[in-house]
Amino acid sequence: MKIIRANSYQDMSRKAANLISAQVIMKPNCVLGLATGSTPEGIYKQLIDWYNKGDLDFDRVTTINLDEYVGLDHSNEQSYWYFMQKHFFRHINIRPENVYVPDGTNPDAERACRAYDYIIQRCGGIDLQLLGIGVDGHIGFNEPGAAFELGTHKVRLQESTIQANKRFFAHEDEVPKEAYTMGIKTIMQAHKVLLCASGTAKAAIIREALYGPVTPQVPASILQMHPDLTVVVDHEAGACLPEDMD
Ligand code: GLP
């Protein structure tokens, strides 16, 4: 595990974007596992900037997103599909056919999730998986107690996650209660994992995830077992980490 400290959200975003850029430059046809939430917004902004400067080319890149709310279609501004278009895809030269987000409109959970696992397999797996972390330690939408050995599956969101994510919705009642998420097994199969965290609210869970016991109660704790994990934290999110990490 490599922990990189950044001194601000912007610095965290630039450092993480640098690592993603390196992946795209080293393997132009790579498969990126992508995340939503406020943490990666700055990363996408930085990547767009470098794309506009001609430093990055996404023509041969494939992206596979972690998760999607059940019941929200592409036109819904709160869907993760919409988020990704708005914050990243519509600003770069990625091919629409190379972009994957779980189909939240498919009411047949079994079919939707198997289809997604098949897509990941057909793409040859994920080269680099970008992750944020929920205040309860969730990654993707794998909530505390999630089995480590699952592929894509339907989850019921924890109350704390609904509370944390309600800021994106007009009213709390509009926050979907269920989501389809890539499972921890799939996340752990990514060749590289890049976990990013920003802000005081993430400080305690980042320490618990990286230095506490590996337990399904803290889904992100399994990342300690990943052979190629890089963590980028800003000053606040890294506040509870031990000093001598290098
Ligand atoms: C959501 C997403 C996660 C994300 C988490 C944290 O629940 N499903 O992938 O990591 O929110 O979001 P934020 O970065 O806004 O704190």
Side-chain angles (χ1 to χ4, degrees), residues 123-144:
C123 291
I126 293 164
D127 290 297
L128 184 152
Q129 177 65 56
L130 173 64
L131 295 175
I133 185 169
V135 284
D136 60 0
H138 73 249
I139 45 177
F141 267 134
N142 293 280
E143 296 280 25

Side-chain angles (χ1 to χ4, degrees), residues 89-125:
F89 298 148
R90 75 165 70 132
H91 308 282
I92 58 171
N93 66 331
I94 193 146
R95 292 170 186 256
E97 65 270 26
N98 289 346
V99 161
Y100 298 99
V101 178
D103 181 6
T105 63
N106 188 342
D108 185 339
E110 182 62 26
R111 190 175 278 242
C113 295
R114 290 296 70 79
Y116 210 61
D117 283 340
Y118 177 68
I119 287 165
I120 298 166
Q121 192 195 352
R122 204 187 54 203
C123 291

Side-chain angles (χ1 to χ4, degrees), residues 35-40 66-67 69 80 131-135 138-141 161 165 167-168 202:
T36 52
S38 40
T39 307
L66 280 168
D67 45 15
Y69 290 113
Y80 283 169
L131 295 175
I133 185 169
V135 284
H138 73 249
I139 45 177
F141 267 134
T161 301
N165 290 355
R167 67 189 192 279
F168 297 110
K202 302 289 172 66

